[in-house]
Amino acid sequence: MYGETSVQGSKNSILPILAATVLIRGQTVITNCPRITDVDATLKILRHLGCVVTREGNTVTVDSTDVNKYDIPEDLMREMRSSVMFLGAIIGRTGKASLSTPGGCEIGLRPIDLHLDAIQRFGVNIREEFAKIEFEAMKPLEGVNIALSFPSVGATENIILTACTAKGTTVITNAAREPEISDLADFLNSCGARISGTGEGTVVIEGVKELHPVQYRVIPDRIVAATYMAAAAMTHGKVRLTNVIPSHIAPVIPVFEEAGCDISISQGSITLTAPPCLRSIKTIRTMPYPGFPTDMQAQIMAMTTLCHGTSVIIETIFESRYKHVSELLRFGAKIRVDGRMAVIEGVGSLTAAKVIASDLRGGAALVLAGLAAQGTTTVENIKYILRGYENMSGVLTSLGCDIMKEERNTADGGKENS
Ligand code: EPZ
C-alpha cells in the first residue's frame, strides 16, 4: 500500500452530535459528516422525532424546531444499539423518553445501567416493562453530581446532553475522556452551552436556558486513521494520512513503533513507513482513553499475526470482542485465546481465505488480513464495515490495493455486499 489519503469525519463524534441537535430549535449544519450507515440510521431517528433533515455529500442539516415525539421505535433501536445516546437529548428537549431496551451486540452485552442510574439522579422516573423503558421527568431537570463507576463513553455523553439545559450545575466525576466527548462539548458550547473539563476526567456543565443553531465541523476519525496505518504496516507500505489530529492517535503510535514502523508527524498529517519485517508487540492492554483504544484491538491483532515473535493482547473493555479470531485463523494465523487474553504467534505469511465479518472493527481486521494474504480473499457480511468506514474499498484502491466491493443477490431476493 502506497500513497496519501484524507481521513473521514469521526463516526463516534457525529453520532452524539446529531443526537444533540434534538436540543436545538432551528437549523444546525454539520460538515465533515462521514457517509456511513450508522449516520443513515441516526438520520432516520431524527426524522422519526419530527426533525427536518437534509444531506448533501458530507454536509447534514437538521432543523429540530418541530420535534414532536419522544420515542425511538424498536426497529431503529435494533438497527443501531448506540441509539441509546438519543436518551439524554430527548429527555432534555421533551422531559420524557421511551426506548426499547437496546439489545447486546456482536462485541458484548453492552448494558446501559450507568446511563439509567445517572438519568435517574436528575429526578427522572424510569419504568422498565418487558422490552420497553419509559422515562418521565417528574419536575424540571436540575443539575446533580454524578460519579461514574466506569468511564463509560455513552453514559458520559448522555449525562452531558441531559445536563445542558437542566437548571443549575452538573458535575461528572470519572467521566470518559475520549476526544469525541470533547468534540461533543465543543459543538454544544458553540451552541451556547457551558461545559468544561472534557478530556480531563471531571466534567462540569452549567445548565443554560436554550441552545442556538450553528454550523460545525466534526473531528477526523482517529480509529479509521489508525486502521489504514495498520494496513500500510501489514503490506510493507507507506501511507500519508491528511486531515488527522495526531494527538488523538498518540495511544496507538508507540505500538506501531514497537513493531518497527517509522512514524512522522506534521501538524495535520501523519506518515507511516513499514519495516521489511514487523516485530512482535510485547503486550497491548485496551483501556479507556488515553489508553490503547479497544476499537483498534482487532486491527492490531491482524497486524501481529505477521509480526516476528509472540504478541499478547488483553481486551479489558468488552467481554467478547474476539469474534474475529476464528476468522483470522482461516488465513493461517496462530492465535490462542484464554478469557480476555489473546496470544499471537507471528507467521511468515497469510494465505487468502473466505471469511465472514461479525462486527465493525473485526470486519476491518479481516480486510487488512486479506490485503496482506497471498491470493484472493473474500470477506462476507461487510454491512458491518459500512457502518463505520466511508468507501473503504475506494480508499484502499486509491492507495494501490487490489480490492473491490461486490453486491450479490441473496436467496430471499435481497442484495448483500461482500
Ligand atoms: C463507545 O461505545 C463507542 N461507540 C464504541 O465504539 C467504543 O468501543 C466504546 O465507546 C469504548 O471506547 C460510540 O461512541 C458510538 P462504553 P459505548 O459505554 O459508549 C460497559 C466502534 O467500534 N458499560 O464506554 O457503548 C460496556 O458494556 C464502537 O466504533 C456498562 O457496563 O462504550 C463496555 O464493557 C464499538 N454499563 C464498557 O462499559 C453501561 O451503562 C465500555 O462501554 C455502559 C457501558
Side-chain angles (χ1 to χ4, degrees), residues 11-13 15-16 38 81-82 84-85 107-116 150-155 157 176 178 180 222-223 287-289 293-295 316-319 321 340 359-361 387:
K11 166 178 91 75
N12 292 349
S13 259
L15 299 183
D38 267 7
R81 72 157 316 278
S82 48
V84 72
M85 83 217 144
I107 58 176
L109 286 173
R110 301 195 62 188
I112 58 168
D113 53 312
L114 299 176
H115 299 247
L116 301 182
F150 177 85
S152 154
V153 171
E157 290 166 344
E178 275 68 4
E180 292 76 26
R222 60 194 169 100
I223 303 299
M287 292 296 280
Y289 194 90
T294 174
D295 292 349
T316 74
I317 306 292
F318 289 102
E319 73 275 11
R321 201 168 195 174
R340 298 257 180 161
D359 66 81
L360 166 58
R361 307 301 176 183
R387 290 184 44 198

Side-chain angles (χ1 to χ4, degrees), residues 1 228 231 367 371 391-401 403:
M1 168 197 260
Y228 292 140
V367 171
L371 292 175
N391 188 24
M392 179 187 250
S393 54
V395 170
L396 291 172
T397 301
S398 74
L399 293 169
C401 300
I403 180 170

Side-chain angles (χ1 to χ4, degrees), residues 323-339:
K323 292 217 169 61
H324 43 282
V325 171
S326 56
E327 298 304 294
L328 287 173
L329 295 177
R330 293 172 186 278
F331 288 96
K334 284 191 181 142
I335 307 168
R336 198 166 28 84
V337 171
D338 178 7

Side-chain angles (χ1 to χ4, degrees), residues 69-72 77 83-92 94-102 112-129 131-139 141 158 162:
K69 289 210 181 86
Y70 58 85
D71 71 308
I72 299 184
M77 278 300 289
S83 317
V84 72
M85 83 217 144
F86 270 94
L87 185 54
I90 295 174
I91 292 177
T94 68
K96 48 190 176 182
S98 168
L99 308 184
S100 53
T101 37
I112 58 168
D113 53 312
L114 299 176
H115 299 247
L116 301 182
D117 295 350
I119 299 265
Q120 202 150 35
R121 294 201 27 75
F122 283 93
V124 174
N125 188 20
I126 299 179
R127 209 158 30 88
E128 294 190 55
E129 48 185 45
K132 272 240 178 267
I133 315 177
E134 308 287 346
F135 302 79
E136 180 148 18
M138 305 321 281
K139 56 184 176 39
L141 295 174
N158 256 330
T162 308

Side-chain angles (χ1 to χ4, degrees), residues 4 90 92 159 184 293 376 402:
E4 175 174 316
I90 295 174
I159 297 165
L184 173 64
T376 301
D402 181 0

Side-chain angles (χ1 to χ4, degrees), residues 164-391:
C164 256
T165 52
K167 219 151 62 37
T169 303
T170 296
V171 179
I172 313 170
T173 45
N174 196 26
R177 298 160 58 181
E178 275 68 4
E180 292 76 26
I181 293 174
S182 300
D183 204 22
L184 173 64
D186 290 347
F187 165 70
L188 288 165
N189 284 340
S190 64
C191 298
R194 294 171 59 196
I195 305 165
S196 58
T198 53
E200 288 141 35
T202 297
V203 176
V204 179
I205 305 109
E206 306 286 347
V208 294
K209 262 201 162 332
E210 70 172 15
L211 300 171
H212 57 77
V214 291
Q215 170 153 335
Y216 188 80
R217 178 182 175 84
V218 297
I219 58 172
D221 194 308
R222 60 194 169 100
I223 303 299
V224 168
T227 302
Y228 292 140
M229 290 167 76
M234 293 174 72
T235 55
H236 309 300
K238 177 173 183 176
V239 69
R240 180 167 186 267
L241 301 175
T242 57
N243 180 30
V244 292
I245 301 175
S247 62
H248 292 173
I249 306 174
V252 197
I253 289 173
V255 170
F256 286 122
E257 291 177 331
E258 187 178 344
C261 298
D262 177 70
I263 306 268
S264 69
I265 292 175
S266 70
Q267 65 278 20
S269 74
I270 194 163
T271 302
L272 179 142
T273 308
C277 174
L278 290 166
R279 295 197 301 264
S280 59
I281 313 293
K282 204 146 105 339
T283 304
I284 294 170
R285 184 186 299 273
T286 64
M287 292 296 280
Y289 194 90
F292 185 90
T294 174
D295 292 349
M296 271 304 295
Q297 180 257 104
Q299 302 92 303
I300 287 294
M301 181 186 284
M303 184 183 82
T304 61
T305 65
L306 288 169
C307 291
H308 184 69
T310 302
S311 304
V312 175
I313 294 177
I314 300 164
E315 172 57 60
T316 74
I317 306 292
F318 289 102
E319 73 275 11
S320 60
R321 201 168 195 174
Y322 281 143
K323 292 217 169 61
H324 43 282
V325 171
S326 56
E327 298 304 294
L328 287 173
L329 295 177
R330 293 172 186 278
F331 288 96
K334 284 191 181 142
I335 307 168
R336 198 166 28 84
V337 171
D338 178 7
R340 298 257 180 161
M341 180 185 284
V343 179
I344 304 101
E345 300 290 340
V347 293
S349 64
L350 297 176
T351 309
K354 187 171 177 183
V355 290
I356 300 176
S358 57
D359 66 81
L360 166 58
R361 307 301 176 183
L366 299 180
V367 171
L368 268 49
L371 292 175
Q374 285 156 9
T376 301
T377 289
T378 303
V379 180
E380 305 275 352
N381 254 6
I382 63 166
K383 65 181 180 187
Y384 289 107
I385 302 174
L386 302 177
R387 290 184 44 198
Y389 290 86
E390 177 178 316
N391 188 24

